[in-house]
Amino acid sequence: MSLIQVINPNTSLAMTETIGAAARAVAAPGTEILAVCPTHGVESIEGHFDEAIAAIGVLEQVKRGKAQGVSGHIIACFGDPGLLAARELASGPVIGIAEAAMHTATLMATRFSIVTTLPRTLVIARHLLQQYGFTHHCAALHAIDLPVLALEDGSGVAQEKVRQRCMQAKREDGSGAIVLGCGGMATLAQDLTKELGMPVIDGVSAAVKMVESLVALGFGTSKHGDLDYPLEKPLSGAFQHLN
Amino acid sequence: MSLIQVINPNTSLAMTETIGAAARAVAAPGTEILAVCPTHGVESIEGHFDEAIAAIGVLEQVKRGKAQGVSGHIIACFGDPGLLAARELASGPVIGIAEAAMHTATLMATRFSIVTTLPRTLVIARHLLQQYGFTHHCAALHAIDLPVLALEDGSGVAQEKVRQRCMQAKREDGSGAIVLGCGGMATLAQDLTKELGMPVIDGVSAAVKMVESLVALGFGTSKHGDLDYPLEKPLSGAFQHLN
Amino acid sequence: MSLIQVINPNTSLAMTETIGAAARAVAAPGTEILAVCPTHGVESIEGHFDEAIAAIGVLEQVKRGKAQGVSGHIIACFGDPGLLAARELASGPVIGIAEAAMHTATLMATRFSIVTTLPRTLVIARHLLQQYGFTHHCAALHAIDLPVLALEDGSGVAQEKVRQRCMQAKREDGSGAIVLGCGGMATLAQDLTKELGMPVIDGVSAAVKMVESLVALGFGTSKHGDLDYPLEKPLSGAFQHLN
Amino acid sequence: MSLIQVINPNTSLAMTETIGAAARAVAAPGTEILAVCPTHGVESIEGHFDEAIAAIGVLEQVKRGKAQGVSGHIIACFGDPGLLAARELASGPVIGIAEAAMHTATLMATRFSIVTTLPRTLVIARHLLQQYGFTHHCAALHAIDLPVLALEDGSGVAQEKVRQRCMQAKREDGSGAIVLGCGGMATLAQDLTKELGMPVIDGVSAAVKMVESLVALGFGTSKHGDLDYPLEKPLSGAFQHLN
Amino acid sequence: MSLIQVINPNTSLAMTETIGAAARAVAAPGTEILAVCPTHGVESIEGHFDEAIAAIGVLEQVKRGKAQGVSGHIIACFGDPGLLAARELASGPVIGIAEAAMHTATLMATRFSIVTTLPRTLVIARHLLQQYGFTHHCAALHAIDLPVLALEDGSGVAQEKVRQRCMQAKREDGSGAIVLGCGGMATLAQDLTKELGMPVIDGVSAAVKMVESLVALGFGTSKHGDLDYPLEKPLSGAFQHLN
Amino acid sequence: MSLIQVINPNTSLAMTETIGAAARAVAAPGTEILAVCPTHGVESIEGHFDEAIAAIGVLEQVKRGKAQGVSGHIIACFGDPGLLAARELASGPVIGIAEAAMHTATLMATRFSIVTTLPRTLVIARHLLQQYGFTHHCAALHAIDLPVLALEDGSGVAQEKVRQRCMQAKREDGSGAIVLGCGGMATLAQDLTKELGMPVIDGVSAAVKMVESLVALGFGTSKHGDLDYPLEKPLSGAFQHLN
């Protein structure tokens, strides 16, 4: 029995549910999904400030997950906030959903498109593309110009905008796959894949399979070199619980 | 029940066994491994000429595998010969072992080293790093300066050289993981991982988990765009069987 | 008397003629052109699968050319299929027409445009730009969206589409030269150069001058390092003739 | 009268003094330096985990500095933790000391070397080089293999190691300037510049001049686009004070 | 009292005035601006040929400035003509205005746009972006398609075109700052910054602050390595005065 | 009868002879070589300052060559000084010898080494590699640490140092070709090629074949776009003769 911790870095319980559902939908028989979110933080993540705060919540959850004996951790926000910090803390694998979706896309298509929420988050995606090595594999980035929580308002407006943008990407970008750029879009991928007739990738489900794979291979995060456990030093005040 | 075809692109039956064993060792309960190699071709692959010939064998096997109803295909030679051509031919996923090992390494470490066979194959690894986007994630490339088939001569000399080079890489490269650069090294990864205390990655096992993952996610190779099936055209003479 | 072998990697005799004519039109007085194509293979090359098959035909012809004492070899398909493999096999120079056209363009203009046939071949051009170092020298890639053989149907439709796209590239791309992205466009370059008042480059003729130049300088393919002759190993079955 | 806030992202008061002194030593007559550090956090920053925690302290201080009417902010840790998040929060300029030192180096030399503390921090420097565009301007990275706080132990051992490494860099790297890779090295730059006869750059003093310059030019952080103020959303629990 | 030499590399006295005024407007109390231009050369710089000639004038002025005891030098043409040559000649800092504007932009925004004069100068900006490391920080390049001297014809037409292009850049590019790509646009920056509500950067004023900063930090051009003084050798004929 | 102007950008008559001889040794029967050097300038080129002065001499000679009806121009100094400026001025092709040697090397080997004179010139080679796109094709750069004119002192010391460095490069770099980084080394290439058993490339002879090739193909420098003739403007004083 393997336990995978899926961390929604924002505090939206609705989105944590969405993400948990997407994770469970693809989990292997022997895998249990533990969908969590920070107690404190921001309701949605739409910039670097939000990410910095969310990163603390991610670290708290990774620490908690470790104590609970989870096999691996997923950071379920498209900016992968706190990814390398979480890798230092963890012994098992830690996967970000942007990372998972981008890697997965390159295994099926020579280039991919990204469809995300607000234009101000595009810079985050661009920096990740550069850091992961996929700048030249991304044909185009699109923003629907709606905030993250619009995906949880029940109206379906945001979902329809995502669909429209995906169809536009298919027509115009010359790419072979589409990456959905928000954890809140996780449940759309399967239907869009069918409707568009091309892979539309949700990072949450992709990350679940990556963690399962690494665990099956006997791999965690490398503790040789720069992702070794944080050097022990007293964490003061508000951060004592991270000691 | 899912069937994964592991294609050794050279004609060495011994190496096909080695590779098949490595694949089976990590296959999920529901996965059956079909380890095959071309009937005709080269005994080992140590350059672009060898790769060009092996690519035809890979395509033949992909075609055969499709007819047998396999879920996905693995190209088990570190140069990933014929990868994009095989993706055109296939409907399911196709994964190369260099691709699999490199991707996997970046999920556990900020940089990795490569240990391969002959120096003349380093250029192939360099080109793949560039194509996949991982040039800056590779800290160093090492060659043991023995041919591929030395790994199958039973003497253990090549294996010991691989081990020595891995230890050197650990001491000198400042990387967090090591990628084994030959299908014939597949069975060494687990022991070296333990001995060195850092991830030593074999692409065969990594590729098995990637194919399983893509299949579980409902993904094959994208048929929208430049990896669509080859345009139908008569294949003449020696290539008729690929029609 | 110098003999240059111009290999059309597809089996179209008409296109072999077109290419041979373009080569002869620029050959130096002392150069004889030997235009050949594989006996077996594909009629046109429009993807990676086609390229993998064509590469074998290229290698067969290089081997034959060597036996005939040719001074150098040209691979006359814009994807340069089998280029590095052919360089291993050859002692003289081997030049691909994409390589030739791209290099030549950078000697006359700070950036160039490419006009090719089907959109699905654009990825091949992009990979070559990256491998040769010219990604930043290419201002734009255009596809006329007609198959290669449309250039041989006698209607002139494809030729007119090429001309239209070249004029569009001149107006919009901000580039100083245009590279024709198919061996079958070879005979169009001279007229388009005149009509557009800017260099329109055919790789076949450019490659002829490159081979002549290398031969005159006393250079063949370097046999020191990774382009040395293929390691001797038995080629079995359908590949025995490549021994 | 202009007030510049120099934020030491760790909680070491000794280092805050060192940094404050280095800032004051170069401040223009009309500039007052406000050297601060977070109340809670880590004593030294030697990895991504430490950085994630320090980023919160940086944001708290930026918020406080804004309330105090400072003209600009400096993040005085070589990893520039929280830089883009702080830029969102601030209206004035925010400069990281790695950023300041690297930019400054390229104005005086074609390539520079970096000398920092622990090897595990090198990856952070490498990522910043990539993000800022200076990967090809950095000739070499060196680590003295001592923790940050060794610079504050009064023994002078760490300082001597820095000096030795700088001399080695001068002899071997072929670079024209050296960047000191830790806020705690700030006071060494001037003497080393004299002793070595080449620019040895401390980011703290460089950042002071950058903030002064931007303020004098009438510039703050751009509020058009992706560095606009964080979208207003309730910050819960431990983060309420950042509202 | 510090003297900064602002070199307009063309021979237009009107533009030298414009540039001098922009420099004086931001100079610190203790800084005196010496705005000069070559006696001989070209009236405006709109290509590589013009730049090659202007570079000689720049070197003459740097030599003269050194003799006059200036603290640093500014090359006030957006192509930074003769920058590295001037750095060899100078002991103090030498800053180009393209360099100054581009560096400054990256301190305030994640990406910037450039608005310049003639389309034929865009290649110069592109090469500088590449050399300085900012290719990926530039969102778009715009040309108003008017020659440099149109900025000095008194009609205001060119100025209005610059304004229009800046507004277009704001709407379309997704960048956070605009760089003005000509010394003759120096006086427009402040008003455009206000009107557009985003930083519009003139390189002349940015360069003044950079030279002041380097001087205050005690830095000149590095004389260790490849920017050391030119090797002494007789300069013949028309270049004797540069001895 | 075709006339190619080979411009030695320095004023050394001995080196002009060396270069002219190297050019004549490979010129086609119908080609006449006109080896020239500037009347005024520097005796050798070992930095950016020297290059700036030499560029004027290059332009003077290009203008003179045009008047004499030459078919094309070669800039025979490894920094390619004034290359793009000369291309604006010329109607025929203009080739730099660094450009020629680097392009030629990539046609014969997957990576090359460079052997040049003084370490301070390495930065120039690095910038050209970047501009031409060959950064990743260069395995290593070597300097013999002797000035350019040591190649003309008759002692053979510099020549022997070049030979030693080439042998070292062969042993250590893993490259397949060596590029000689100075016009004064032109006559060494042929013997070194024989002795080392790998291509050792002199840019002068390579450039002759490139100019011949472009002329034979009917190409000059593109006059569409940014290499169009310089805009007409009065050149004052010392530059009047360039009008």
Side-chain angles (χ1 to χ4, degrees), chain B residues 34-49:
Chain B
L34 194 63
V36 299
C37 69
T39 325
H40 304 150
V42 281
E43 270 199 336
S44 61
I45 300 171
E46 293 147 327
H48 303 96
F49 176 82

Side-chain angles (χ1 to χ4, degrees), chain B residues 71-157:
Chain B
S71 308
H73 318 262
I74 291 170
I75 302 178
C77 168
F78 198 73
D80 297 352
L83 179 60
L84 293 178
R87 284 201 175 131
E88 290 185 11
L89 200 54
S91 52
V94 185
I95 302 290
I97 65 168
E99 178 183 50
M102 291 173 183
H103 277 268
T104 298
T106 69
L107 304 177
M108 300 188 282
T110 60
R111 298 202 301 168
F112 58 85
S113 302
I114 296 176
V115 174
T116 186
T117 53
L118 291 178
R120 71 180 292 158
T121 68
L122 293 175
V123 64
I124 295 175
R126 269 194 214 99
H127 284 174
L128 293 181
L129 287 169
Q130 189 181 36
Q131 186 179 327
Y132 299 155
F134 300 141
T135 299
H136 293 290
H137 298 77
C138 180
L141 296 112
H142 306 268
I144 59 167
D145 209 356
L146 285 179
V148 168
L149 290 182
L151 289 158
E152 302 290 344
D153 70 6
S155 72
V157 170

